[in-house]
Amino acid sequence: MISALIGRIVNFCSRHAWLTVIFYIALAITSSLITYNNLEITTDTTKMFSAGMDWKKRSDQMSKDFPQRENLLVALIESKTPEEGEISAQTLVSRLKNDKEHFYFVESLQNDPFLVKSGLLFLPPPLLDTTLNNIIQAQPFLSSLSDDPSARGLFDTLGMVVLGVKEKQIDLAKYNDALNGFANVLTADAAGNIQPFSWERSLSGKLSELGGKYQLVIAKPKLDLNSIRPSGVASEILRNSINDLPYVKNGAVKVFITGDAQINDEEFSTVLHGMVVGLFVSFVLVAGWLFMAVRTWRLILPILMLLFIGLVLTTGFASIAVGTLNLISISFAILFVSIAVDFGIQFCVRFRGQELIGTNKKEDLLHALSATGFETGHQIFTAAVAAAAGFLAFTPTDFIGVKQLGLIAGIGMFIAFVCTVTFLPALLALLRPNIVQKAAGFPWLKPVDKKIRQYRFLIISIYAILGAIGIFLLADQKVVFDADPFHTKDPHSEGMMALKMMMGDPNTSPYTADIVVNTPQEAKEIADKLQKLPAVKSVVWLNSFVPEDQQQKILMLHDAASILLPTLSLDHPKPKPTAQELRQSIEKMLQGLDSIQDAVPQDSPLRRMQAALQIIVKMPDDKLMAINDNLVQFLPYQLQRLQTILTPKLTTAKDIPAELAEQYRTKDGRLRVEVYPKGTDLTTKQIKDFVKQVLTVAPKAAGTVVDIVESAQTVVHSFIIAACMAIVALAIILFIALRRVLDMILVMIPLLLSGLIAVIVMVAVGMSLNFANIITLPLFLGVGVSFNIYFVMNWRDQLKEPLASPTSRAVLFSALTTGTAFGALAASAHPGTASMGVLLLISLGCTLLVTLGLVPALLPKRDIDEK
């Protein structure tokens, strides 16, 4: 019934070829216009899941409560000295903060005046006491340098230290940290590597690193949603401002742009480029395989046109049914090409195997097309329905990415089938390829067919053992799902390289959890509980910016200020020294050092200083002046900052600046508690442990790290359900189409076994599943069921020697063309795309191994078969 109907449809379209082709061209143009006007693509992985799930509701609500934390650009500033980074960050903010045309805000919280002024109040009293003592010990240096902020003043001050050592009036060990700092920079200067001296690092030591390795400037850009790079304009303005920074120009500071807005733009560009290049390369290479399969351009061109028209129509459907594609559903193009090319090859190979019936070439051609439709149309239809069922089984899941992919690819199978039995015959009728091909299959494989039948039970046993190993690995959860979206992005892009740097600093880790509570009491209680968890490094909420024990600490600071501040004035400094004055000061310093040779230990920084100064004193004037400038370049900045931090005020939550408070408080007064994990570059296990511990205290937690873990569980659960539904649906469809349980089993067993062997290969090569390569499962179902159906149905139609038949030729070259498309993806520089290509190649290889190796052995013996 179906065979006859398809045969008549093929006959009609081939006899009205021009009408059919024109109809499809008009349909493709309409579809292209619909696609152009409606279709969008997003790289936002948060939109890959159903909004109805509890964890997704919490995540979406967090985005609504704190929109200022979404779609950000982050300038990560890396500097050799803390001062260079701080000044660069401050300069960048001052240049862009008033640009309301392109940014909602631009800020650097590390340099917020409130946090700077209160900085020392956040230290524990013992550490604060140590820090203040270090600064007080440096008071003689600072006092002298505030009067003469130059290398001359520094050497004169060091001369007083030398004099104190000579007269045994000071303990040199107390000044070792500061002296080592001077010795290090002078040694570098003497070697020709003239560099600025960090007074901040000298005064505070490791304290300067508590705020993190990097300075961050955070900007929220105004997005152009009609652009392929929504934050592109703002990003360029930010980049131009960065390039104009003085310390960037002289190479002292490096700045990288990251943030979700930047990474999403890079991701879209990379994925789109990879897909376009992949499709182009695929079409070119597929044409080569098609030539080997059908050996004439009169068949190659129609198949390529079938792929093109079918893909355009499927894309049009996607623009209507879905509207916005994500990083998974965009892969429908690969799925369509991979299976539609199989339909085209099956039809054309069987077409070339038809026989002449007369002398009229046109009538012979039309008869051959009609006969091909009658013979193979129902097979292609069954394969299309089965593949569509496998894809559509993913539509009920909560994983929106695969849900969309399943819908588009499922309908795409019907589009591919319709185009195969209508558009393809019309093109063949117009191009008129030769009909007869005596060796449509692989006749040289006939001996292999006999050997497979002869040793069929041994072959079946080997495959059964492989299947058992696959089941064991699957049950033992050796194949894991990596839900971290960062692992599927291009690690060489600027945004990801900067993010990787941030991951290496626990103060800027993106793996945070967030909890929203109603009152400060709740926030404090939950923060105290969270802080006790083994996996938690720190907990930050609004009142974290109100220092504890302020009264005690302010008294300590006032005492230090009373000693330091009267001498830290730059109101009337001495004029800048000349090179000659510097040389005289150095010579005087060297004389003093010579006089205390016996009074200092061999490892004293004074000895290193002496060796360096003996070289520096002989340097040309220009280098001597450069050393002077670099030694005291940041002294005025640091003295001013010291005056600020030594005079803090008693603060409360009301004193926290609005831009800082908005990061942790909603407009209706609820509070966000932010939790940071211990460690850097966290593994999947560490992330899971961290989330598990946080959820025991705060079951309603959200945030990046919670999204990662919960999305992984959603994906795994969705695929288990979808796979089970797909297998059941395929079994039902195959039973209806084949009408025999045995034939249905003959299709399903190789399909399942292919998957189990793929599991073995994945474990062997250490590959995990991720958001990109997860599409392998629906494609594996579609391709695997198609290949097996052709062999089983042809066996029912009295096919002998399967491997030597045209079916085998069609399956092999279909696999080669599909593998070519996957190979183009596997060669991508984008990790997600590459992993998708690699896993698709693995799945295809396993499918081909089972289809050509096991299916001929599984096919039951018939009366017509040789004994």
Side-chain angles (χ1 to χ4, degrees):
M1 182 72 175
I2 293 178
S3 299
L5 176 60
I6 295 174
R8 287 194 293 269
I9 291 173
V10 170
N11 184 58
F12 175 85
C13 292
S14 57
R15 290 184 180 277
H16 301 84
W18 278 113
L19 178 63
T20 303
V21 171
I22 292 172
F23 170 76
Y24 270 98
I25 291 174
L27 201 59
I29 292 173
T30 303
S31 179
S32 299
L33 292 174
I34 293 173
T35 299
Y36 178 79
N37 292 321
N38 296 328
L39 191 63
E40 296 179 356
I41 301 175
T42 179
T43 59
D44 187 354
T45 55
T46 64
K47 295 182 179 179
M48 288 188 183
F49 300 93
S50 171
M53 294 180 292
D54 287 341
W55 71 267
K56 192 65 171 63
K57 287 179 181 178
R58 300 197 304 270
S59 179
D60 291 343
Q61 186 61 47
M62 190 68 67
S63 297
K64 291 179 182 178
D65 289 338
F66 298 95
Q68 66 272 30
R69 301 176 67 239
E70 304 288 323
N71 296 315
L72 298 177
L73 291 172
V74 178
L76 182 145
I77 301 173
E78 182 183 34
S79 59
K80 295 178 181 177
T81 67
E83 291 93 336
E84 289 168 331
E86 292 165 7
I87 294 171
S88 296
Q90 294 166 14
T91 304
L92 187 59
V93 170
S94 65
R95 290 181 179 180
L96 295 176
K97 67 180 181 181
N98 294 322
D99 184 0
K100 301 303 180 183
E101 180 182 353
H102 301 102
F103 301 96
Y104 290 101
F105 64 78
V106 179
E107 62 189 19
S108 175
L109 294 180
Q110 292 158 295
N111 295 283
D112 184 276
F114 169 80
L115 294 179
V116 172
K117 192 173 184 66
S118 304
L120 292 180
L121 293 178
F122 292 100
L123 299 179
L127 181 57
L128 176 61
D129 185 58
T130 302
T131 302
L132 292 177
N133 285 335
N134 289 339
I135 297 175
I136 291 171
Q137 286 176 4
Q139 191 271 342
F141 293 95
L142 298 175
S143 176
S144 176
L145 287 168
S146 63
D147 181 57
D148 185 3
S150 68
R152 176 185 59 199
L154 175 61
F155 295 140
D156 289 347
T157 304
L158 290 173
M160 291 191 296
V161 173
V162 171
L163 182 60
V165 172
K166 185 176 181 180
E167 297 181 358
K168 299 181 180 180
Q169 293 181 348
I170 65 171
D171 181 5
L172 195 60
K174 292 182 178 180
Y175 298 94
N176 262 356
D177 288 343
L179 293 176
N180 272 316
F182 294 132
N184 290 340
V185 74
L186 290 174
T187 301
D189 292 341
N193 182 22
I194 299 175
Q195 54 186 264
F197 179 70
S198 173
W199 288 92
E200 179 176 331
R201 196 172 285 152
S202 176
L203 291 172
S204 61
K206 294 182 179 180
L207 189 65
S208 62
E209 300 176 1
L210 289 180
K213 299 177 183 178
Y214 312 106
Q215 289 286 313
L216 303 180
V217 173
I218 299 173
K220 185 172 177 63
K222 293 185 176 180
L223 304 179
D224 178 8
L225 298 179
N226 294 320
S227 170
I228 61 173
R229 294 184 65 226
S231 67
V233 174
S235 180
E236 286 302 313
I237 292 172
L238 178 60
R239 170 61 64 198
N240 292 336
S241 297
I242 288 170
N243 291 337
D244 198 40
L245 293 173
Y247 293 122
V248 171
K249 286 182 177 180
N250 67 18
V253 164
K254 294 180 181 179
V255 185
F256 306 88
I257 298 178
T258 185
D260 49 351
Q262 173 75 6
I263 291 174
N264 285 343
D265 283 356
E266 291 174 345
E267 184 78 352
F268 178 82
S269 301
T270 305
V271 171
L272 186 62
H273 179 266
M275 287 295 176
V276 171
V277 172
L279 281 174
F280 176 76
V281 172
S282 297
F283 267 94
V284 172
L285 296 179
V286 162
W289 288 117
L290 288 176
F291 177 79
M292 296 182 66
V294 295
R295 298 182 180 176
T296 171
W297 68 269
R298 295 178 187 272
L299 290 176
I300 295 172
L301 183 59
I303 294 176
L304 293 178
M305 288 301 297
L306 164 69
L307 299 181
F308 177 74
I309 291 292
L311 186 57
V312 169
L313 297 181
T314 304
T315 306
F317 167 76
S319 65
I320 295 172
V322 173
T324 301
L325 299 175
N326 54 51
L327 293 178
I328 289 182
S329 56
I330 194 176
S331 303
F332 80 88
I334 300 295
L335 298 187
F336 179 88
V337 170
S338 300
I339 299 181
V341 73
D342 172 60
F343 295 170
I345 291 176
Q346 288 290 339
F347 190 95
C348 288
V349 169
R350 294 291 290 273
F351 163 74
R352 296 216 73 190
Q354 299 296 324
E355 296 182 358
L356 293 170
I357 60 170
T359 58
N360 187 323
K361 185 174 181 179
K362 180 179 180 180
E363 285 301 319
D364 278 347
L365 177 69
L366 295 175
H367 173 77
L369 287 170
S370 179
T372 301
F374 178 82
E375 291 176 6
T376 196
H378 68 293
Q379 297 180 2
I380 296 175
F381 175 73
T382 302
V385 172
F391 292 144
L392 293 173
F394 290 84
T395 57
T397 68
D398 291 322
F399 190 9
I400 301 297
V402 172
K403 180 177 184 175
Q404 291 181 354
L405 180 65
L407 176 63
I408 300 168
I411 301 302
M413 293 302 94
F414 292 112
I415 293 174
F417 166 72
V418 172
C419 290
T420 301
V421 297
T422 56
F423 181 64
L424 181 60
L427 287 177
L428 294 175
L430 293 176
L431 294 177
R432 299 184 179 183
N434 293 329
I435 299 173
V436 177
Q437 180 178 324
K438 294 181 180 179
F442 299 119
W444 48 274
L445 286 178
K446 288 182 179 181
V448 178
D449 273 314
K450 292 181 180 179
K451 290 294 183 183
I452 288 178
R453 300 301 293 178
Q454 182 179 353
Y455 297 103
R456 57 186 303 221
F457 294 110
L458 175 61
I459 293 172
I460 292 172
S461 299
I462 293 172
Y463 277 95
I465 293 172
L466 291 175
I469 295 173
I471 291 173
F472 171 77
L473 295 175
L474 204 57
D476 200 34
Q477 298 183 349
K478 294 297 184 183
V479 178
V480 297
F481 182 82
D482 181 2
D484 193 336
F486 300 136
H487 294 168
T488 63
K489 302 181 188 299
D490 182 4
H492 304 296
S493 68
E494 180 183 11
M496 282 306 299
M497 286 193 296
L499 186 64
K500 188 72 173 176
M501 294 166 68
M502 291 176 65
M503 290 178 182
D505 183 350
N507 295 292
T508 54
S509 172
Y511 297 119
T512 58
D514 298 305
I515 304 100
V516 174
V517 296
N518 295 318
T519 65
Q521 291 77 14
E522 288 182 66
K524 186 177 188 315
E525 288 175 6
I526 203 166
D528 290 342
K529 291 179 181 178
L530 289 166
Q531 192 67 69
K532 297 175 182 177
L533 297 176
V536 171
K537 174 187 177 289
S538 60
V539 182
V540 181
W541 64 290
L542 187 63
N543 281 16
S544 299
F545 299 99
V546 179
E548 297 178 353
D549 303 320
Q550 291 187 65
Q551 295 283 5
Q552 176 190 355
K553 295 175 184 176
I554 287 177
L555 287 175
M556 295 169 66
L557 286 166
H558 283 172
D559 289 342
S562 65
I563 299 171
L564 292 166
L565 292 187
T567 62
L568 301 184
S569 173
L570 289 171
D571 292 340
H572 305 288
K574 290 182 180 179
K576 183 177 179 178
T578 64
Q580 183 60 30
E581 290 173 327
L582 285 176
R583 212 178 303 277
Q584 291 173 354
S585 182
I586 295 173
E587 289 172 349
K588 183 179 178 181
M589 174 76 179
L590 286 171
Q591 290 174 4
L593 290 170
D594 286 338
S595 68
I596 61 169
Q597 287 296 304
D598 297 334
V600 296
Q602 289 297 320
D603 60 349
S604 172
L606 289 177
R607 290 187 180 275
R608 290 195 295 126
M609 215 179 293
Q610 181 181 24
L613 289 175
Q614 287 171 345
I615 298 173
I616 292 173
V617 74
K618 300 175 183 178
M619 285 184 171
D621 290 355
D622 58 336
K623 288 192 175 182
L624 205 57
M625 295 306 295
I627 290 173
N628 173 78
D629 293 341
N630 278 276
L631 273 173
V632 296
Q633 178 180 352
F634 299 122
L635 179 60
Y637 168 81
Q638 199 56 47
L639 290 177
Q640 172 121 31
R641 200 174 180 96
L642 196 57
Q643 290 176 338
T644 300
I645 65 175
L646 287 175
T647 56
K649 295 180 180 179
L650 196 66
T651 60
T652 66
K654 295 180 180 179
D655 299 314
I656 299 174
E659 59 270 18
L660 177 57
E662 288 172 358
Q663 300 289 328
Y664 294 91
R665 184 174 58 205
T666 64
K667 292 181 179 179
D668 60 2
R670 288 174 293 123
L671 300 170
R672 179 173 71 92
V673 179
E674 188 173 33
V675 192
Y676 286 83
K678 287 181 180 176
T680 58
D681 297 322
L682 301 182
T683 64
T684 299
K685 184 180 184 305
Q686 288 174 316
I687 290 174
K688 287 182 177 179
D689 289 343
F690 172 66
V691 172
K692 184 178 180 180
Q693 292 181 27
V694 169
L695 290 178
T696 59
V697 174
K700 294 185 179 181
T704 304
V705 71
V706 177
D707 289 349
I708 289 174
V709 173
E710 294 285 6
S711 62
Q713 294 176 353
T714 300
V715 169
V716 172
H717 181 260
S718 296
F719 268 84
I720 290 174
I721 293 176
C724 292
M725 291 178 61
I727 291 171
V728 172
L730 286 172
I732 294 173
I733 289 171
L734 291 171
F735 177 74
I736 294 173
L738 302 175
R739 298 185 301 279
R740 285 198 303 205
V741 174
L742 177 61
D743 291 348
M744 180 265 288
I745 292 174
L746 289 175
V747 174
M748 293 298 296
I749 286 180
L751 181 65
L752 298 177
L753 195 55
S754 300
L756 294 174
I757 295 176
V759 167
I760 296 174
V761 178
M762 287 181 63
V763 173
V765 300
M767 173 171 275
S768 60
L769 295 173
N770 56 46
F771 282 119
N773 64 31
I774 199 73
I775 71 159
T776 302
L777 181 55
L779 180 60
F780 154 73
L781 293 173
V783 172
V785 76
S786 299
F787 288 176
N788 298 334
I789 283 173
Y790 299 139
F791 275 110
V792 172
M793 294 188 77
N794 285 327
W795 187 258
R796 283 177 44 164
D797 293 338
Q798 310 304 308
L799 172 72
K800 287 186 176 183
E801 299 161 338
L803 295 184
S805 69
T807 299
S808 177
R809 181 185 186 89
V811 165
L812 177 62
F813 281 101
S814 176
L816 290 173
T817 53
T818 302
T820 297
F822 299 163
L825 295 177
S828 172
H830 183 264
T833 304
S835 70
M836 179 170 61
V838 170
L839 193 49
L840 287 170
L841 281 173
I842 290 173
S843 300
L844 181 65
C846 294
T847 299
L848 200 60
L849 179 67
V850 173
T851 299
L852 298 181
L854 176 64
V855 172
L858 275 179
L859 294 173
K861 188 173 177 61
R862 303 162 301 183
D863 294 337
I864 62 172
D865 296 327
E866 297 180 7
K867 293 184 179 180

